[in-house]
């Protein structure tokens, strides 16, 4: 694990599964607009949370690219799930601003709900096709830019599925 402090917020990077982070009070879902089960991160989160999560989420959708909404964690070890709709790369524009909006909205929503530690996957970098290095730049820049506005959030963990994605996030984090 790599960790760096920005203002009052520690930013961590780890390789792993977003559904297996019991020390975080919120995790972020790379959702679809309807907040249905889906594949990738969304599929893993809904499978681990159980059917109550989709039941709670459906009335909250549809959401637009860059938006975040919050639900309970159901059978997950986390109290909250924050669902973000990332941009489809090459389709939802400006993609960098929409991706930044996901991270900013998720952090602000977490903060309003008293969250202290939150975990993000690399939003939009799977099915939605956002290249990993520019996605890492946007993610880390947005967390650093938002950090001074946060009251309760003091730990932000990026949970990367692959070793190569972790290496990219680590490099971008070290270069900041
Ligand atoms: N933990 C952490 N990271 C993961 C996990 C996991 N369990 N599973 C995959 N990743 P994606 P998107 C990585 O496709 O691009 C869904 O079907 C993955 O390697 O989950 O925002 C939804 O329903 C990739 O780097 O999200 C939407 O329709 C990153 O997480 C759509 O896909 C994001 O991959 C959203 O696409």
């Amino acid at each position: 694990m790599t960790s760096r402090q920005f203002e009052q917020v520690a930013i961590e990077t780890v390789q792993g599964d977003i559904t297996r982070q019991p020390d975080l009070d919120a995790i972020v879902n790379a959702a679809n607009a309807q907040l249905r089960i889906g594949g990738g991160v969304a599929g893993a989160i809904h499978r681990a949370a159980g059917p109550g999560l989709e039941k709670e989420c459906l009335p909250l959708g549809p959401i637009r690219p860059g938006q975040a909404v919050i639900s309970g964690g159901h059978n997950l070890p986390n109290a909250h799930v924050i669902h973000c709709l990332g941009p489809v790369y090459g389709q939802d524009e400006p993609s960098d601003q929409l991706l930044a909006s996901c991270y900013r909205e998720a952090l602000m929503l977490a903060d309003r709900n008293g969250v202290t530690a939150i975990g993000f996957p690399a939003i939009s970098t799977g099915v939605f096709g956002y290249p990993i290095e520019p996605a890492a730049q946007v993610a880390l820049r947005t967390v650093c830019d938002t950090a001074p506005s946060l009251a309760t959030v003091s730990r932000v963990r990026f949970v990367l599925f692959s070793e190569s994605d972790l290496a990219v996030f680590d490099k971008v984090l070290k270069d900041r």
Side-chain angles (χ1 to χ4, degrees), residues 16-19 30-33 36-44 85-87 121-130 132 159-162 165:
D17 181 337
I18 193 77
T19 66
N32 50 69
R36 291 190 190 285
I37 293 178
V41 168
L85 179 61
I123 299 168
S124 281
T125 66
V127 173
F128 285 177
Y130 209 117
I132 190 74
V159 182
L160 290 320
F161 215 34
S162 71
D165 288 354

Side-chain angles (χ1 to χ4, degrees), residues 87-108:
V88 176
Y89 193 70
Q91 186 177 310
D92 297 319
E93 299 290 351
S95 57
D96 57 341
Q97 288 177 32
L98 291 170
L99 187 60
S101 170
C102 285
Y103 287 101
R104 192 169 45 246
E105 282 209 11
L107 289 168
M108 300 306 284

Side-chain angles (χ1 to χ4, degrees), residues 2 13-14 140 165-175:
T2 305
T13 54
V14 294
L140 289 162
D165 288 354
L166 174 66
V168 172
F169 268 73
D170 275 348
K171 183 178 181 309
V172 173
L173 183 58
K174 280 189 191 112
D175 289 348

